[in-house]
């Protein structure tokens, strides 16, 4: 069965810690979680408190990545929103599960589903289905 921990660690290598780039569509992000798209994420309270104490990007990033409570919020967010919703624990291939997970993280769940459907020659509905899961777990 696929391993969330491996997929999560691999994706996190590409996400960075904290950023607030006005040219980034996600604007303010923490470990790839966009405040614009996920304003109610529980971790924002911690991030906001740390921003008051750590005024340089380096000190803020070091503090954030060293906070185990925040990291548990990050991991739970990704598992619930981009892994469990696709039942990827049931996928036999770590590679397939990772590709579905990471694609959903980066382009959104609907687009990831459509891309998987297209790759498997299924009708592109953008809706998760048992048929798509069965094709992925082969």
């Amino acid at each position: 069965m696929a391993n969330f921990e491996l997929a999560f660690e691999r994706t996190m290598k590409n996400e960075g810690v904290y950023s607030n780039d006005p040219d980034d569509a996600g604007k303010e992000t923490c470990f790839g979680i966009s405040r614009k798209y996920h304003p109610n994420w529980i971790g924002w309270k911690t991030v906001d408190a740390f921003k008051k104490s750590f005024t340089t990007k380096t000190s803020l990033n070091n503090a954030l990545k060293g906070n185990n409570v925040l990291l548990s919020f990050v991991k739970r967010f990704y598992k619930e929103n981009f892994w469990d919703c696709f039942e990827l624990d049931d996928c036999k291939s770590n590679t397939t599960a990772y590709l579905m997970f990471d694609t959903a993280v980066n382009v959104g769940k609907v687009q990831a589903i459509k891309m998987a459907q297209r790759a498997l020659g299924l009708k592109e509905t953008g809706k998760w289905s048992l048929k798509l899961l069965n094709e992925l777990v082969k």
Side-chain angles (χ1 to χ4, degrees), residues 100-111:
M100 189 70 194
F101 170 74
D102 193 63
T103 301
V105 167
N106 286 291
V107 301
K109 290 186 266 191
V110 172
Q111 283 304 113

Side-chain angles (χ1 to χ4, degrees), residues 60-129:
L60 177 60
N61 281 340
N62 287 335
L64 293 172
K65 68 183 175 184
N67 186 285
N68 289 330
V69 172
L70 180 63
L71 294 175
S72 72
F73 294 156
V74 171
K75 188 176 280 190
R76 185 172 73 203
F77 172 85
Y78 280 103
K79 180 127 180 17
E80 290 174 358
N81 289 285
F82 298 101
W83 186 269
D84 291 346
C85 63
F86 296 127
E87 304 167 88
L88 293 175
D89 285 329
D90 295 334
C91 193
K92 293 178 184 172
S93 165
N94 274 321
T95 301
T96 301
Y98 169 72
L99 288 172
M100 189 70 194
F101 170 74
D102 193 63
T103 301
V105 167
N106 286 291
V107 301
K109 290 186 266 191
V110 172
Q111 283 304 113
I113 292 167
K114 286 182 178 182
M115 292 169 76
Q117 290 168 328
R118 187 177 319 128
L120 294 167
L122 302 172
K123 181 180 178 186
E124 288 183 46
T125 64
K127 294 181 182 174
W128 187 249
S129 68

Side-chain angles (χ1 to χ4, degrees), residues 33-46:
I33 301 169
S34 165
R35 189 183 296 254
K36 178 179 175 182
Y37 299 113
H38 305 284
N40 298 320
W41 174 56
I42 192 170
W44 289 120
K45 291 178 185 176
T46 303

Side-chain angles (χ1 to χ4, degrees), residues 17 31 50 54 56-67:
V17 182
F31 294 101
F50 275 54
F54 300 94
T56 69
K57 185 175 180 180
T58 300
S59 65
L60 177 60
N61 281 340
N62 287 335
L64 293 172
K65 68 183 175 184
N67 186 285

